[in-house]
């Protein structure tokens, strides 16, 4: 979800879940209830940036691209039980 920082100017800046620094950009990404700089949102396996992707996947705090999520999580049914 793309968020507009202008709408929330009265509150403290969000901290990026990727790099930990304050987000001062007008727009940022909100994924898995965490804020991200556009360039910081990456797949935890292949490290591909996900800013231009239409979707990404989250499991146990990790962010995945579609290919890695299906390869790592869906292909291993034991990981889905948790």
């Amino acid at each position: 979800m793309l968020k507009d920082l202008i709408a929330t100017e009265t509150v403290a800046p969000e901290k990026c879940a990727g790099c930990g620094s304050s987000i001062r950009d007008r727009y940022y990404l909100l994924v898995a209830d965490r804020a991200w700089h556009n360039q910081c949102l990456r797949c935890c396996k292949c490290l591909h940036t996900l800013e231009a992707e239409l979707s990404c996947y989250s499991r146990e705090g990790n962010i995945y691209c579609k290919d890695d999520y299906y390869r790592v999580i869906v292909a291993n049914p034991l990981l889905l039980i948790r």
Side-chain angles (χ1 to χ4, degrees):
M1 170 190 289
L2 190 63
K3 297 287 280 188
D4 187 348
L5 192 58
I6 300 300
T8 58
E9 279 184 358
T10 58
V11 297
E14 296 272 359
K15 295 280 186 185
C16 176
C19 70
S21 65
S22 295
I23 298 176
R24 302 206 180 274
D25 302 335
R26 179 173 180 178
Y27 297 100
Y28 62 94
L29 301 170
L30 186 61
V31 175
D33 294 325
R34 296 182 288 170
W36 302 79
H37 289 111
N38 292 342
Q39 66 275 13
C40 291
L41 184 63
R42 295 178 177 272
C43 173
C44 68
K45 292 296 181 186
C46 68
L47 302 179
H48 177 74
T49 58
L50 301 173
E51 66 181 304
E53 299 296 322
L54 295 177
S55 63
C56 61
Y57 300 82
S58 174
R59 179 78 176 178
E60 296 179 351
N62 294 314
I63 305 296
Y64 297 90
C65 65
K66 181 179 179 179
D67 291 340
D68 283 330
Y69 183 81
Y70 282 96
R71 183 176 53 81
V72 174
I73 305 297
V74 176
N76 188 348
L78 294 177
L79 293 176
L80 292 173
I81 294 172
R82 294 185 200 176

